[in-house]
PDB file of all heavy atoms in Angstrom:
ATOM      1  N   LEU A  24    -164.290 215.987-161.134  1.00 90.00           N
ATOM      2  CA  LEU A  24    -165.041 215.274-160.098  1.00 90.00           C
ATOM      3  C   LEU A  24    -166.507 215.693-160.074  1.00 90.00           C
ATOM      4  O   LEU A  24    -167.387 214.890-159.766  1.00 90.00           O
ATOM      5  CB  LEU A  24    -164.417 215.520-158.719  1.00 90.00           C
ATOM      6  CG  LEU A  24    -163.017 214.971-158.509  1.00 90.00           C
ATOM      7  CD1 LEU A  24    -162.459 215.441-157.177  1.00 90.00           C
ATOM      8  CD2 LEU A  24    -163.006 213.451-158.586  1.00 90.00           C
ATOM      9  N   ASP A  35    -174.637 217.360-159.545  1.00 91.00           N
ATOM     10  CA  ASP A  35    -173.268 217.411-159.039  1.00 91.00           C
ATOM     11  C   ASP A  35    -173.107 216.457-157.845  1.00 91.00           C
ATOM     12  O   ASP A  35    -173.685 216.682-156.777  1.00 91.00           O
ATOM     13  CB  ASP A  35    -172.967 218.850-158.624  1.00 91.00           C
ATOM     14  CG  ASP A  35    -171.550 219.060-158.136  1.00 91.00           C
ATOM     15  OD1 ASP A  35    -170.799 218.074-157.999  1.00 91.00           O
ATOM     16  OD2 ASP A  35    -171.194 220.232-157.884  1.00 91.00           O
ATOM     17  N   PRO A  36    -172.329 215.386-157.992  1.00 94.00           N
ATOM     18  CA  PRO A  36    -172.184 214.425-156.891  1.00 94.00           C
ATOM     19  C   PRO A  36    -171.404 214.978-155.703  1.00 94.00           C
ATOM     20  O   PRO A  36    -171.520 214.456-154.590  1.00 94.00           O
ATOM     21  CB  PRO A  36    -171.431 213.260-157.536  1.00 94.00           C
ATOM     22  CG  PRO A  36    -170.727 213.862-158.700  1.00 94.00           C
ATOM     23  CD  PRO A  36    -171.567 214.996-159.171  1.00 94.00           C
ATOM     24  N   ILE A  37    -170.633 216.016-155.915  1.00 95.00           N
ATOM     25  CA  ILE A  37    -169.843 216.607-154.831  1.00 95.00           C
ATOM     26  C   ILE A  37    -170.755 217.125-153.719  1.00 95.00           C
ATOM     27  O   ILE A  37    -170.429 217.014-152.535  1.00 95.00           O
ATOM     28  CB  ILE A  37    -168.926 217.732-155.360  1.00 95.00           C
ATOM     29  CG1 ILE A  37    -167.843 217.170-156.274  1.00 95.00           C
ATOM     30  CG2 ILE A  37    -168.322 218.537-154.228  1.00 95.00           C
ATOM     31  CD1 ILE A  37    -166.826 216.297-155.581  1.00 95.00           C
ATOM     32  N   VAL A  38    -171.914 217.650-154.088  1.00 95.00           N
ATOM     33  CA  VAL A  38    -172.842 218.180-153.089  1.00 95.00           C
ATOM     34  C   VAL A  38    -173.263 217.077-152.117  1.00 95.00           C
ATOM     35  O   VAL A  38    -173.261 217.267-150.900  1.00 95.00           O
ATOM     36  CB  VAL A  38    -174.068 218.819-153.770  1.00 95.00           C
ATOM     37  CG1 VAL A  38    -175.121 219.228-152.748  1.00 95.00           C
ATOM     38  CG2 VAL A  38    -173.644 220.007-154.620  1.00 95.00           C
ATOM     39  N   LYS A  39    -173.582 215.906-152.632  1.00 96.00           N
ATOM     40  CA  LYS A  39    -173.990 214.793-151.772  1.00 96.00           C
ATOM     41  C   LYS A  39    -172.817 214.266-150.958  1.00 96.00           C
ATOM     42  O   LYS A  39    -172.976 213.907-149.788  1.00 96.00           O
ATOM     43  CB  LYS A  39    -174.611 213.674-152.610  1.00 96.00           C
ATOM     44  CG  LYS A  39    -175.952 214.066-153.185  1.00 96.00           C
ATOM     45  CD  LYS A  39    -176.556 212.975-154.025  1.00 96.00           C
ATOM     46  CE  LYS A  39    -177.858 213.477-154.622  1.00 96.00           C
ATOM     47  NZ  LYS A  39    -178.441 212.557-155.553  1.00 96.00           N
ATOM     48  N   ILE A  40    -171.644 214.219-151.560  1.00 97.00           N
ATOM     49  CA  ILE A  40    -170.455 213.760-150.827  1.00 97.00           C
ATOM     50  C   ILE A  40    -170.144 214.720-149.682  1.00 97.00           C
ATOM     51  O   ILE A  40    -169.831 214.292-148.568  1.00 97.00           O
ATOM     52  CB  ILE A  40    -169.251 213.591-151.780  1.00 97.00           C
ATOM     53  CG1 ILE A  40    -169.534 212.457-152.781  1.00 97.00           C
ATOM     54  CG2 ILE A  40    -167.974 213.313-151.001  1.00 97.00           C
ATOM     55  CD1 ILE A  40    -168.535 212.364-153.920  1.00 97.00           C
ATOM     56  N   ILE A  41    -170.247 216.014-149.939  1.00 97.00           N
ATOM     57  CA  ILE A  41    -170.028 217.015-148.886  1.00 97.00           C
ATOM     58  C   ILE A  41    -171.009 216.787-147.732  1.00 97.00           C
ATOM     59  O   ILE A  41    -170.616 216.791-146.567  1.00 97.00           O
ATOM     60  CB  ILE A  41    -170.166 218.452-149.445  1.00 97.00           C
ATOM     61  CG1 ILE A  41    -168.968 218.788-150.334  1.00 97.00           C
ATOM     62  CG2 ILE A  41    -170.322 219.473-148.313  1.00 97.00           C
ATOM     63  CD1 ILE A  41    -169.098 220.096-151.094  1.00 97.00           C
ATOM     64  N   ASN A  42    -172.276 216.588-148.067  1.00 97.00           N
ATOM     65  CA  ASN A  42    -173.284 216.363-147.019  1.00 97.00           C
ATOM     66  C   ASN A  42    -172.969 215.106-146.214  1.00 97.00           C
ATOM     67  O   ASN A  42    -173.051 215.112-144.980  1.00 97.00           O
ATOM     68  CB  ASN A  42    -174.680 216.265-147.628  1.00 97.00           C
ATOM     69  CG  ASN A  42    -175.175 217.604-148.143  1.00 97.00           C
ATOM     70  OD1 ASN A  42    -174.756 218.657-147.685  1.00 97.00           O
ATOM     71  ND2 ASN A  42    -176.068 217.566-149.105  1.00 97.00           N
ATOM     72  N   ASP A  43    -172.609 214.019-146.907  1.00 97.00           N
ATOM     73  CA  ASP A  43    -172.307 212.759-146.214  1.00 97.00           C
ATOM     74  C   ASP A  43    -171.106 212.899-145.288  1.00 97.00           C
ATOM     75  O   ASP A  43    -171.134 212.455-144.143  1.00 97.00           O
ATOM     76  CB  ASP A  43    -172.051 211.635-147.226  1.00 97.00           C
ATOM     77  CG  ASP A  43    -173.300 211.232-147.995  1.00 97.00           C
ATOM     78  OD1 ASP A  43    -174.419 211.614-147.582  1.00 97.00           O
ATOM     79  OD2 ASP A  43    -173.160 210.533-149.020  1.00 97.00           O
ATOM     80  N   VAL A  44    -170.043 213.506-145.783  1.00 98.00           N
ATOM     81  CA  VAL A  44    -168.827 213.649-144.973  1.00 98.00           C
ATOM     82  C   VAL A  44    -169.075 214.623-143.818  1.00 98.00           C
ATOM     83  O   VAL A  44    -168.626 214.374-142.696  1.00 98.00           O
ATOM     84  CB  VAL A  44    -167.628 214.081-145.844  1.00 98.00           C
ATOM     85  CG1 VAL A  44    -166.411 214.399-144.988  1.00 98.00           C
ATOM     86  CG2 VAL A  44    -167.294 212.999-146.860  1.00 98.00           C
ATOM     87  N   SER A  45    -169.807 215.679-144.063  1.00 98.00           N
ATOM     88  CA  SER A  45    -170.111 216.630-142.993  1.00 98.00           C
ATOM     89  C   SER A  45    -170.918 215.968-141.885  1.00 98.00           C
ATOM     90  O   SER A  45    -170.677 216.212-140.694  1.00 98.00           O
ATOM     91  CB  SER A  45    -170.870 217.844-143.543  1.00 98.00           C
ATOM     92  OG  SER A  45    -170.055 218.564-144.438  1.00 98.00           O
ATOM     93  N   LEU A  78    -161.135 214.662-146.638  1.00 97.00           N
ATOM     94  CA  LEU A  78    -161.969 213.455-146.680  1.00 97.00           C
ATOM     95  C   LEU A  78    -162.957 213.499-147.839  1.00 97.00           C
ATOM     96  O   LEU A  78    -163.227 212.477-148.492  1.00 97.00           O
ATOM     97  CB  LEU A  78    -162.702 213.270-145.351  1.00 97.00           C
ATOM     98  CG  LEU A  78    -161.803 212.978-144.149  1.00 97.00           C
ATOM     99  CD1 LEU A  78    -162.612 212.997-142.864  1.00 97.00           C
ATOM    100  CD2 LEU A  78    -161.070 211.664-144.333  1.00 97.00           C
ATOM    101  N   ILE A  79    -163.492 214.665-148.128  1.00 97.00           N
ATOM    102  CA  ILE A  79    -164.414 214.820-149.260  1.00 97.00           C
ATOM    103  C   ILE A  79    -163.692 214.487-150.563  1.00 97.00           C
ATOM    104  O   ILE A  79    -164.202 213.729-151.397  1.00 97.00           O
ATOM    105  CB  ILE A  79    -164.990 216.252-149.303  1.00 97.00           C
ATOM    106  CG1 ILE A  79    -165.946 216.466-148.129  1.00 97.00           C
ATOM    107  CG2 ILE A  79    -165.680 216.531-150.634  1.00 97.00           C
ATOM    108  CD1 ILE A  79    -166.301 217.918-147.869  1.00 97.00           C
ATOM    109  N   LEU A  80    -162.502 215.036-150.739  1.00 95.00           N
ATOM    110  CA  LEU A  80    -161.745 214.789-151.968  1.00 95.00           C
ATOM    111  C   LEU A  80    -161.328 213.329-152.090  1.00 95.00           C
ATOM    112  O   LEU A  80    -161.343 212.766-153.186  1.00 95.00           O
ATOM    113  CB  LEU A  80    -160.527 215.709-152.033  1.00 95.00           C
ATOM    114  CG  LEU A  80    -160.870 217.186-152.258  1.00 95.00           C
ATOM    115  CD1 LEU A  80    -159.634 218.053-152.070  1.00 95.00           C
ATOM    116  CD2 LEU A  80    -161.497 217.405-153.618  1.00 95.00           C
ATOM    117  N   ILE A  82    -162.966 210.689-151.001  1.00 95.00           N
ATOM    118  CA  ILE A  82    -164.137 209.920-151.447  1.00 95.00           C
ATOM    119  C   ILE A  82    -164.509 210.281-152.876  1.00 95.00           C
ATOM    120  O   ILE A  82    -164.808 209.401-153.689  1.00 95.00           O
ATOM    121  CB  ILE A  82    -165.319 210.162-150.484  1.00 95.00           C
ATOM    122  CG1 ILE A  82    -165.008 209.536-149.130  1.00 95.00           C
ATOM    123  CG2 ILE A  82    -166.618 209.614-151.063  1.00 95.00           C
ATOM    124  CD1 ILE A  82    -165.996 209.877-148.042  1.00 95.00           C
ATOM    125  N   ALA A  83    -164.479 211.564-153.205  1.00 94.00           N
ATOM    126  CA  ALA A  83    -164.883 212.008-154.542  1.00 94.00           C
ATOM    127  C   ALA A  83    -163.988 211.411-155.626  1.00 94.00           C
ATOM    128  O   ALA A  83    -164.473 211.044-156.703  1.00 94.00           O
ATOM    129  CB  ALA A  83    -164.863 213.532-154.615  1.00 94.00           C
ATOM    130  N   GLN A  84    -162.706 211.272-155.355  1.00 92.00           N
ATOM    131  CA  GLN A  84    -161.801 210.774-156.386  1.00 92.00           C
ATOM    132  C   GLN A  84    -162.015 209.299-156.694  1.00 92.00           C
ATOM    133  O   GLN A  84    -161.603 208.828-157.747  1.00 92.00           O
ATOM    134  CB  GLN A  84    -160.344 211.050-155.999  1.00 92.00           C
ATOM    135  CG  GLN A  84    -160.024 212.527-156.120  1.00 92.00           C
ATOM    136  CD  GLN A  84    -158.540 212.813-156.203  1.00 92.00           C
ATOM    137  OE1 GLN A  84    -157.707 211.928-156.292  1.00 92.00           O
ATOM    138  NE2 GLN A  84    -158.211 214.079-156.191  1.00 92.00           N
ATOM    139  N   ARG A  86    -164.739 208.111-157.515  1.00 88.00           N
ATOM    140  CA  ARG A  86    -165.761 208.089-158.570  1.00 88.00           C
ATOM    141  C   ARG A  86    -165.155 207.858-159.958  1.00 88.00           C
ATOM    142  O   ARG A  86    -165.783 207.284-160.828  1.00 88.00           O
ATOM    143  CB  ARG A  86    -166.506 209.432-158.625  1.00 88.00           C
ATOM    144  CG  ARG A  86    -167.422 209.730-157.495  1.00 88.00           C
ATOM    145  CD  ARG A  86    -168.267 210.971-157.798  1.00 88.00           C
ATOM    146  NE  ARG A  86    -169.048 210.762-159.014  1.00 88.00           N
ATOM    147  CZ  ARG A  86    -168.782 211.342-160.182  1.00 88.00           C
ATOM    148  NH1 ARG A  86    -167.784 212.170-160.325  1.00 88.00           N
ATOM    149  NH2 ARG A  86    -169.536 211.080-161.236  1.00 88.00           N
TER     150      ARG A  86
END
Side-chain angles (χ1 to χ4, degrees):
L24 295 173
D35 183 354
I37 293 293
V38 173
K39 291 179 183 174
I40 294 170
I41 288 172
N42 289 335
D43 292 346
V44 173
S45 295
L78 294 173
I79 290 166
L80 290 170
I82 292 171
Q84 288 199 7
R86 289 190 59 253

